[in-house]
Every structure is written in C-alpha cells, then in structure tokens.
Amino acid sequence: MRDWLLYLVIAGALAFAVSSWWGVRRLKAKHTRSAAWEETHHPGLERQKVAVVLNPIKARAAEARALVEGACLAAGWEAPLFYETTAEDPGFSQARAAVASGADVVLVGGGDGTVRVVADVLAHSDIAMGLLPLGTGNLLARNIHLDIGNLHSCVETALFGHQRFIDTARMKVANGITGQSSEHAFLVIAGIGMDAEVVSDTSDGLKKAVGWLAYTEAGVRHLPGRRKRVSISLDDEPEQSRKIRSVLFANCGLIPGGIDFIPQAMIDDGMLDVVVMSPRSAIGWLAMYWKIVLKHKRNLPVMTYYRSGKVVITCAEPMPTQVDGDPSGEATKVTVQIAPRSLLVRVREDEAV
C-alpha cells in the first residue's frame, strides 16, 4: 500500500513537472517583457550639463566618479558637478542643488534608496535621470535592462543613451496608534506585511557578503507566521476584507535573480499591479514559489492579482511597510497611488518595445 502511495506521489510530481515545462514553453512569448511601451528617443543635445548625486560610501563610488569625469572630458563638455549624500541627507538637498545648477541630466550613483530620493525630486520635470547602479538590489536598473555588472556601460547609457518617460508611485504611511505619518516615492515594488519584515530583518553584513541572496535567508526565517486581517480598497471602490501575509504594489516586476515576479507589470502603463498573498501553510508558499518561477497562468487562491491606479489598505494593528527594499515604518493605513509617465530616464538605445 505504501509503495502504491509512493508511486502515486512520484507520478503526480512528474505530471506537474511536465505541465510546468509545457506551460513555460507555451507562455514564453507572452512573458518576454519590455521595460515600457514608449519608444525611446535621443535627447538631441550636442552638449550637456551633467550633475551627479553620489553615495560616497559605496564600494565603486570612486570608480564611478572617474568614469563620469573621463567621459565628459572626452565629449568636450564642462566638468560634471558632484553632490555627495550624507547619513543625515540621503540625497534630497543634493538632488535639488543639481536641478538648481541647470543640469540637463542628473546621474545617480548609489543604491535603490538614493535612486528613489533623486527620482522624487526629478519627477514631473523634463530633467533626465541616469543610473549608475552601485547598490545591492539595483531594482530600477534591472527593470530598464541596464548591464549592472558593467559600470562603464551604465555611464555611457546615462550620458549618451536614449530616454523615455516611466511611471512613479507614492505610498503614504500612517500609524493610527503612534500618530506618525510619512510619504515615500518608489519606482519598482512597495509592500506591507511579511515582505517588509524580511527587508527590515536582513543583515547588512550578509548583504555586503552575498548581495541580494541575503534576503533569502531572512525570508526563510519569516515563512512561519499568522495572517492578519486588512481592508483593501481599489480606486475608491468599496473595501474588501482579506486575511493576508503580504500585499505588494508593483510598478514593474523584475527582481534580483532574474525573476520576473509580476510579468504583466509594465513601467509606463499608468497602473499598479497589486498582489495579495495569503498562504496559511508551507504548501501555500510552495505553490506560490512554483507559480512565480514557472510563470503558471492558472490562478491560486493564496495569490491574487489586481490592477489599480490607487490602493488603500487599513488594518487594526500596525504592520511593517517597505518601498523598493527600504523599510518605511509601521502603518495602520497605507495609500498608494501611481503617477503616470512622470519621470524621464536614460536607457539603452536598443531598449525597444
């Protein structure tokens, strides 16, 4: 009897594997993503005034500075202006100073936090942002398909590449228990719940040692846990009551490891892709894992998708939040809203639809 049960399990696993392989093969064309729908265009400037907001503690900051200076010199442009971030100011005043200098393009040398801050200042302007990815996740750089391992290539794109408008988003975080509130811009993925717990509990030392894989260690530790009841309102429609482990708000969906977490999320479609995750057991987590990795089209009760321009979530007890991999405080209410085509970003010329 036990042998028959074992054979049944093996047969089921094989059938699942075959169906997964066929599903991935059949959906391959659908899941070939483009960072945005808009065609790229060249800035059309023979000479550019360049400003750089640089996080000086990043390992390759000095190399990035030298590459930018050398490229501007070779192009016959005036020397770039550098504004270094500090522990007290992650880039707000530096980005404003770059704008005030009359820069045509502001390069960001740092991690996702620095990129978010500078994007917040440049949004709704015609000043382009170029990316010099020096962080652990480099989320936006991945989603516009920069070669994050090739800093020289990223400098060339930031200075001489094409450009396009992308969406940005904002999350208002309010804690009804403490009375504290804040507002944060983000470009890739924000969230409330377990994902924010993982972000807050990931070791900085481990991130320096193994990069984005450090999040996996914290994620495994946070898999056990209880679901919490929240109310969700999409585009000011009536609230839905759900028990969740995490809710994600995606502007685009490519994350470290080459995983396209939300293949349908496009960076300039004027919409948020909202993912409500509510697994109650290891089986639920495993089902979600296979859906993400193998890109199954079938729906899962523990992982539901919505599209909305605005999302409001309320909960009785404070829950942690995160924006683009940075903790953003505990909240009993979050309001997330998209700002369509609000940021001009430099991309590779071959980054076409």
Side-chain angles (χ1 to χ4, degrees), residues 197-219:
E197 295 173 357
V198 171
V199 165
S200 298
D201 199 27
T202 300
S203 164
D204 289 335
L206 195 59
K207 281 198 291 186
K208 290 180 180 179
V210 299
W212 62 268
L213 289 173
Y215 294 104
T216 304
E217 183 272 337

Side-chain angles (χ1 to χ4, degrees), residues 41-167:
H41 60 276
H42 194 271
L45 299 174
E46 293 184 3
R47 301 177 63 86
Q48 296 183 88
K49 187 169 186 177
V50 178
V52 185
V53 177
L54 183 67
N55 184 340
I57 69 171
K58 293 299 182 181
R60 304 183 69 184
E63 180 185 357
R65 177 189 285 267
L67 286 171
V68 173
E69 289 175 334
C72 289
L73 179 63
W77 301 345
E78 63 181 275
L81 301 174
F82 287 87
Y83 302 90
E84 294 189 347
T85 65
T86 65
E88 295 75 25
D89 188 339
F92 286 107
S93 63
Q94 293 86 345
R96 294 187 187 105
V99 171
S101 74
D104 298 301
V105 59
V106 178
L107 277 53
V108 188
D112 294 314
T114 310
V115 172
R116 283 193 307 102
V117 168
V118 175
D120 195 7
V121 174
L122 296 183
H124 306 287
S125 77
D126 290 326
I127 302 174
M129 182 174 77
L131 299 180
L132 310 179
L134 305 179
T136 302
N138 301 309
L139 294 174
L140 181 61
R142 295 176 190 273
N143 278 274
I144 60 173
H145 304 299
L146 296 182
D147 184 355
I148 62 174
N150 187 338
L151 189 54
H152 179 268
S153 172
C154 291
V155 169
E156 290 292 306
T157 297
L159 293 176
F160 311 111
H162 281 213
Q163 57 193 30
R164 60 171 34 143
F165 282 99
I166 66 171
D167 300 339

Side-chain angles (χ1 to χ4, degrees), residues 235-254:
D235 288 326
D236 297 320
E237 292 293 321
E239 295 180 342
Q240 308 173 40
S241 180
R242 297 287 301 273
K243 283 188 174 181
I244 61 101
R245 287 298 306 279
S246 187
V247 181
L248 298 177
F249 319 100
N251 186 31
C252 45
L254 195 63

